[in-house]
Amino acid sequence: MTDQIDESNSDHLSKEEWRRVARFDDSSIELTERENRLAAEALAPVISRVAEMMSSIVPDFSPAAREAAQEVLRRLAEISTVVRTFTESAAPYLQEIFESLGYFDKRKFPENWDGVDGSSFKGLDSILIDEGIPLMWVPGAVTVEALLTAGSASDRRRIIGSRWKRIASDCEVVLHEIDHPKLLSERDFALDCVAALRDGHTNPAQSLAANLLDTVLGHLDKSTRTQRTKNSFKQNGEKFDLDEHEFRAAFTFAPVWCAHATFWVDKGDSVPRTFGRHPSVHAVSRAQYSRINAIIGLMVVTSVLKFFDTQMLR
């Protein structure tokens, strides 16, 4: 009879076993069946939790984004066959991994998405591409969630119309954060849009926003600008492809693309009621000009300016 624990029959890994498990990526280390079993059992609930979290983050994302998330989960599942339980030697490394995954959305999404329920993402592509409503950096989180959970495009326009003062303030806050020397003049003109809206000068605000957008887009090279503004959906049915752009660029420029929908006065095109750069410039009318469109125009310009502020070299 002995008081010594038989590690080979224990349901816990010894320190030596954990050192082996912690080196699971070393092809020269072959883990025993017992080490594999214990490691997999311990990590199973963690994998399940990460899967649940990821599913709430990307349920309606593009195929490429969903594929990337699934690849993460696949790799975690592979790891779970090797690493099964937490001990003092391995827990710090695993904790860092899962904390990183836990802040995935905060790294990807801007500050104005803080606290937005991930289950609200359904229909996101349509809001950005078909309706041209900016969601990057502006508006604030409460309005973002209201727009995401609204039942229709008309409901979203009503939300923008009823919250125009709050949205204008959201834009003002973001604009004051812009400090790149090459953007200061354009930032000040965008702030003029905010002032005009508050003073009740809706039409001048929309006109300035539409023309300022042209100026701001001048920071793109010709090829990129064409790619992000050439909207021939009416002619060929091709839409802005979110997968072709980095995440923040996709969210920023999808509404820009929507605002550049083809419009020809001399071809008899009907003046759209949604915000558009071309009808704002070439078809000044009560159909195109409205406070809702002025706010959307301001949001578009603010979002693009903030994008450049985060991307341009200083």
Side-chain angles (χ1 to χ4, degrees):
M1 180 70 67
T2 176
D3 292 332
Q4 184 176 0
I5 297 175
D6 183 359
E7 290 290 341
S8 63
N9 295 321
S10 171
D11 285 336
H12 300 282
L13 295 175
S14 67
K15 289 184 178 180
E16 175 58 31
E17 288 174 323
W18 252 115
R19 278 193 287 271
R20 289 161 54 81
V21 171
R23 297 177 60 192
F24 67 88
D25 59 339
D26 188 337
S27 59
S28 67
I29 300 295
E30 292 186 6
L31 301 183
T32 67
E33 181 179 349
R34 175 178 171 279
E35 289 167 345
N36 282 333
R37 175 179 59 79
L38 290 175
E41 289 174 356
L43 268 191
V46 179
I47 301 299
S48 176
R49 180 168 173 266
V50 173
E52 181 180 355
M53 180 195 71
M54 295 293 282
S55 65
S56 70
I57 293 175
V58 291
D60 194 47
F61 269 23
S62 64
R66 286 196 298 273
E67 183 179 346
Q70 290 168 356
E71 175 65 12
V72 170
L73 296 178
R74 186 185 67 79
R75 289 181 179 275
L76 287 172
E78 290 178 352
I79 292 173
S80 72
T81 64
V82 181
V83 184
R84 276 296 181 152
T85 189
F86 291 102
T87 65
E88 293 181 358
S89 61
Y93 303 103
L94 295 173
Q95 181 179 359
E96 182 179 347
I97 292 172
F98 292 118
E99 283 183 353
S100 177
L101 286 172
Y103 288 102
F104 170 82
D105 55 336
K106 291 186 178 180
R107 294 198 311 273
K108 279 291 188 180
F109 292 96
E111 293 78 6
N112 68 308
W113 281 70
D114 188 28
V116 174
D117 183 2
S119 64
S120 306
F121 286 11
K122 186 175 182 180
L124 181 58
D125 289 12
S126 181
I127 295 172
L128 294 169
I129 299 171
D130 300 329
E131 300 171 36
I133 297 177
L135 296 174
M136 198 74 187
W137 289 292
V138 291
V142 174
T143 303
V144 166
E145 185 143 18
L147 292 170
L148 288 171
T149 56
S152 66
S154 58
D155 287 342
R156 279 183 279 275
R157 285 183 64 83
R158 279 192 288 271
I159 289 171
I160 293 171
S162 65
R163 302 188 184 198
W164 72 271
K165 290 182 180 179
R166 178 185 298 184
I167 296 173
S169 294
D170 293 338
C171 291
E172 183 178 36
V173 170
V174 172
L175 289 169
H176 278 300
E177 295 172 351
I178 295 171
D179 60 4
H180 194 288
K182 293 184 178 181
L183 299 174
L184 296 182
S185 177
E186 294 154 9
R187 176 205 64 186
D188 290 344
F189 277 109
L191 288 169
D192 287 342
C193 290
V194 175
L197 279 163
R198 286 182 175 153
D199 291 341
H201 304 306
T202 300
N203 294 337
Q206 180 172 338
S207 179
L208 178 55
N211 284 281
L212 180 57
L213 179 60
D214 262 12
T215 301
V216 173
L217 291 175
H219 293 292
L220 296 173
D221 62 72
K222 185 176 181 180
S223 175
T224 304
R225 176 169 180 165
T226 298
Q227 179 193 32
R228 295 179 178 177
T229 60
K230 186 177 181 180
N231 184 339
S232 302
F233 176 72
K234 294 179 182 178
Q235 288 73 37
N236 55 30
E238 294 181 4
K239 291 187 176 183
F240 184 90
D241 190 346
L242 295 175
D243 293 341
E244 290 185 358
H245 306 272
E246 180 271 332
F247 183 89
R248 293 194 173 203
F251 268 49
T252 300
F253 290 99
V256 172
W257 176 87
C258 181
H260 282 78
T262 303
F263 173 78
W264 296 97
V265 176
D266 55 0
K267 293 182 180 179
D269 289 348
S270 299
V271 179
R273 292 191 174 275
T274 55
F275 174 73
R277 181 272 175 194
H278 300 316
S280 289
V281 174
H282 302 297
V284 176
S285 64
R286 295 298 177 190
Q288 171 61 201
Y289 275 73
S290 66
R291 186 160 60 193
I292 293 175
N293 284 349
I295 286 290
I296 292 176
L298 172 62
M299 291 165 66
V300 172
V301 168
T302 300
S303 183
V304 175
L305 279 169
K306 181 63 175 179
F307 174 83
F308 286 135
D309 189 56
T310 63
Q311 299 294 314
M312 293 171 64
L313 297 176
R314 298 177 186 270

